[in-house]
Amino acid sequence: MWRDLLRYAGFVALCTMWATVCFVIPDFLDNPIDGWKNVITIIIYVTAIGIMNFLWIYLAAMHRHIFAVFFPLYVILGAVVAYYRIAYHATITPMIIEATFHTNAGTVAGVVSWQLILFILLNIGVAIGFVIWRYKGFHPVKPLWQAPIVLLLIIIYYNFNGRLHISLNQRYPMNIVYSITEYARFQHAAHAERIKTSVIKHTSTDSLDVIVVIGEALRADHLSINGYERPTTPLLQLQNNVVSLSNIYSQHTYTSASIPHILTCADSSSTELAYARHSFIQNFADEGYSTSWLSNQDYGHSYATFINETDTTIFPNASKTVFVYNSWTDMDLLPPLKQLMAQQTSHNLYIIHTIGSHWYYNLHVPESLQLFQPLTNNRVVTSNTQEQVINSYDNTVLCFDAFLNSVIMHFENRPAILLYLSDHGESLGENGIYLHASGAEECKYPAALVWYSDKYEQLFPDKIAALKENCNKHYCTDYFFYSVLSAAGMKAEGNEGSLDIFTHK
């Protein structure tokens, strides 16, 4: 009995090792590695994912006919995922699934190469060999009682702890299941019933562009425009019409909570409204604006409904996630923005969601802007020195400066106003705390600013005067919903002016 059990486990182990080399390790080839400590960390991650694959293969191989169907399919999908991970630094995401439903045959043919076909065929050949071996050589011991035990182990292992759960969801094969599930979840959230906040006053204009830029993890005190000692915003400081709001407070320190809050009429005492109300996008659409969502991040189930409110949605880096360690910058948003502008109407609302200052910082900065040295060289943030972390972070601020300046230049000759607000700040080692989604004070003071064109100021001189009057005042991020509407000459129901940066107090 034990001999047969060991022979069967050895067969599954060989299948798993081959699958790990071909389909799992490619996910880690672009990870920044500095020293043996990081190598050991990667080995632990690969082993953890390999255990999950072992359990799935062990379960499937108990019945040879099931294995004959499961394993070739597992191999084909794994070969496709691994090939695109190596060749294009792309991975499976909910946005890729969305794009698949809106992609024509010609586009698909453009990313199918002979190398991909050869890689699939080679792996199928190996899979067939394992299937034949399973048919001829193995008879699992008591599969009827082994199967439920293995299935229970899979459930326990998958839910063992949060960190392992997240890692498994981002790697093959669970990333396919996870992405499909998340896509379905986003679609459900996108069509959820919500209440619209009424606009009770509207000032009409012949034409107007409103640009809303949602930042990521950018803290106000690392902008030289706010007095930071390093020159992190040299280009924005040369712009005459940029006004920084340096005293904004966010009670939320992670994206999925902060974005619903800032796009809706939710406030610090009524946070539940973020999940019951439409965003200002719906108000703009009702007033005849052409609306678009241009994003360098994912859907996010908590704000998928707002994305669905726009006329046009573009994800230039749909195949990227924060688990893909490859270059991925906000400069990638500029070409599609230019294309959108070529199709613009007289009134346009552009929502631009940036990757900004999200960890791993170096990946979101072009080499030409990696000026502060030395940089981080380890994916584990605490394995870098605080100096390295701050240098790499400040380089993301330089990238923000260059990106936002480029966006401004696209609109400077039109009646236009741009409102920027980061979703939250970031901890950079203060009190031993890094990144965000914590209660650290550094995470609660996001960067915020407004730019307006000369033509906009001619249309709304009183609003600009009020903006300059209010720029040093303290606001919670509650201000954003009412101020965006006000920037377009709209006044939302319930807005008495205290949350509007464009109204004299």
Side-chain angles (χ1 to χ4, degrees):
M1 172 182 172
W2 289 108
R3 184 178 179 183
D4 289 339
L5 188 63
L6 288 174
R7 287 181 68 240
Y8 178 71
F11 166 75
V12 173
L14 286 174
C15 293
T16 304
M17 285 188 285
W18 168 67
T20 299
V21 170
C22 292
F23 313 140
V24 176
I25 289 179
D27 247 343
F28 295 89
L29 293 178
D30 55 9
N31 277 222
I33 296 175
D34 178 47
W36 282 106
K37 182 179 179 181
N38 202 225
V39 171
I40 292 170
T41 301
I42 297 295
I43 291 173
I44 291 172
Y45 272 111
V46 171
T47 302
I49 297 159
I51 291 171
M52 175 60 84
N53 279 274
F54 176 87
L55 291 172
W56 278 119
I57 296 171
Y58 193 101
L59 182 64
M62 285 186 178
H63 194 290
R64 60 183 181 177
H65 298 315
I66 292 176
F67 185 70
V69 175
F70 166 84
F71 201 60
L73 180 61
Y74 168 88
V75 164
I76 292 170
L77 290 174
V80 172
V81 171
Y83 174 80
Y84 285 109
R85 187 67 178 84
I86 295 169
Y88 295 94
H89 300 283
T91 191
I92 298 293
T93 68
M95 293 83 72
I96 283 291
I97 295 171
E98 166 74 11
T100 301
F101 291 120
H102 298 88
T103 300
N104 58 47
T107 302
V108 173
V111 294
V112 176
S113 65
W114 67 266
Q115 293 95 332
L116 169 62
I117 295 171
L118 178 61
F119 187 59
I120 292 173
L121 291 175
L122 288 172
N123 279 280
I124 288 176
V126 177
I128 291 173
F130 276 114
V131 169
I132 293 172
W133 191 5
R134 167 65 187 88
Y135 261 79
K136 291 183 176 180
F138 299 101
H139 302 282
V141 177
K142 298 182 179 179
L144 290 179
W145 65 260
Q146 274 206 76
I149 292 175
V150 175
L151 185 59
L152 181 62
L153 285 173
I154 290 172
I155 295 170
I156 293 172
Y157 187 72
Y158 182 63
N159 296 285
F160 183 70
N161 67 42
R163 193 168 183 177
L164 177 61
H165 186 83
I166 292 171
S167 185
L168 291 172
N169 280 339
Q170 299 299 324
R171 315 298 180 187
Y172 188 75
M174 294 307 299
N175 59 351
I176 293 179
V177 177
Y178 173 76
S179 295
I180 292 172
T181 303
E182 284 295 282
Y183 174 73
R185 185 182 179 192
F186 296 157
Q187 290 301 305
H188 175 75
H191 296 89
E193 290 293 327
R194 290 183 179 246
I195 302 170
K196 182 169 58 181
T197 301
S198 299
V199 171
I200 58 177
K201 181 182 177 182
H202 181 218
T203 303
S204 60
T205 59
D206 292 334
S207 65
L208 183 63
D209 292 320
V210 178
I211 308 100
V212 172
V213 182
I214 304 171
E216 171 63 54
L218 184 61
R219 49 192 277 183
D221 63 350
H222 273 246
L223 276 61
S224 55
I225 199 171
N226 292 336
Y228 185 51
E229 64 272 14
R230 279 178 159 176
T232 53
T233 55
L235 298 176
L236 292 177
Q237 286 173 254
L238 293 175
Q239 290 281 354
N240 293 326
N241 296 351
V242 170
V243 177
S244 180
L245 307 168
S246 57
N247 295 305
I248 304 299
Y249 179 86
S250 173
Q251 70 181 105
H252 301 295
T253 62
Y254 54 98
T255 303
S256 61
S258 65
I259 289 184
H261 187 103
I262 65 180
L263 295 185
T264 65
C265 63
D267 57 40
S268 301
S269 61
S270 304
T271 56
E272 73 281 355
L273 293 179
Y275 306 98
R277 296 294 186 103
H278 279 291
S279 73
F280 55 72
I281 298 170
Q282 189 62 56
N283 297 108
F284 275 84
D286 291 344
E287 295 296 331
Y289 277 74
S290 175
T291 60
S292 55
W293 186 286
L294 179 58
S295 179
N296 220 3
Q297 294 211 33
D298 61 15
Y299 273 109
H301 64 87
S302 67
Y303 51 90
T305 185
F306 309 133
I307 300 176
N308 195 56
E309 291 173 5
T310 60
D311 303 318
T312 306
T313 306
I314 300 176
F315 290 87
N317 284 309
S319 63
K320 304 289 187 181
T321 76
V322 294
F323 294 89
V324 173
Y325 289 84
N326 190 255
S327 180
W328 169 20
T329 79
D330 287 326
M331 298 302 181
D332 301 333
L333 297 169
L334 296 176
L337 174 61
K338 190 174 181 179
Q339 292 173 6
L340 280 175
M341 291 182 66
Q343 305 163 11
Q344 65 188 0
T345 61
S346 59
H347 293 77
N348 304 281
L349 171 67
Y350 301 92
I351 312 290
I352 304 175
H353 190 191
T354 65
I355 191 63
S357 300
H358 201 290
W359 179 259
Y360 185 70
Y361 306 136
N362 300 342
L363 300 179
H364 308 310
V365 181
E367 285 189 22
S368 60
L369 292 176
Q370 293 182 346
L371 304 183
F372 301 115
Q373 300 280 341
L375 303 175
T376 55
N377 52 19
N378 198 306
R379 56 172 280 171
V380 180
V381 64
T382 53
S383 295
N384 302 280
T385 66
Q386 189 176 20
E387 178 191 10
Q388 288 175 304
V389 171
I390 292 174
N391 285 341
S392 290
Y393 182 83
D394 284 348
N395 287 333
T396 68
V397 187
L398 284 171
C399 189
F400 149 79
D401 177 67
F403 169 73
L404 212 62
N405 186 67
S406 295
V407 174
I408 288 170
M409 291 173 66
H410 279 69
F411 292 94
E412 60 186 355
N413 296 319
R414 294 180 54 84
I417 185 163
L418 180 152
L419 298 94
Y420 173 92
L421 176 64
S422 183
D423 53 0
H424 48 74
E426 185 91 332
S427 291
L428 300 173
E430 295 89 350
N431 299 311
I433 301 173
Y434 289 90
L435 308 183
H436 52 265
S438 70
E441 284 300 298
E442 297 80 17
C443 298
K444 297 179 180 180
Y445 292 92
L449 55 81
V450 175
W451 168 84
Y452 54 90
S453 68
D454 292 336
K455 290 182 179 180
Y456 180 90
E457 186 174 18
Q458 292 168 11
L459 288 173
F460 299 105
D462 197 51
K463 289 185 181 295
I464 298 307
L467 171 66
K468 293 178 179 177
E469 176 186 298
N470 295 326
C471 67
N472 292 319
K473 293 181 179 178
H474 292 259
Y475 292 93
C476 289
T477 53
D478 309 356
Y479 85 92
F480 200 69
F481 174 83
Y482 299 101
S483 298
V484 171
L485 289 172
S486 178
M490 292 182 257
K491 183 176 180 180
E493 183 180 13
N495 178 14
E496 303 301 326
S498 61
L499 295 177
D500 180 3
I501 59 175
F502 298 105
T503 297
H504 294 284
K505 307 298 187 289

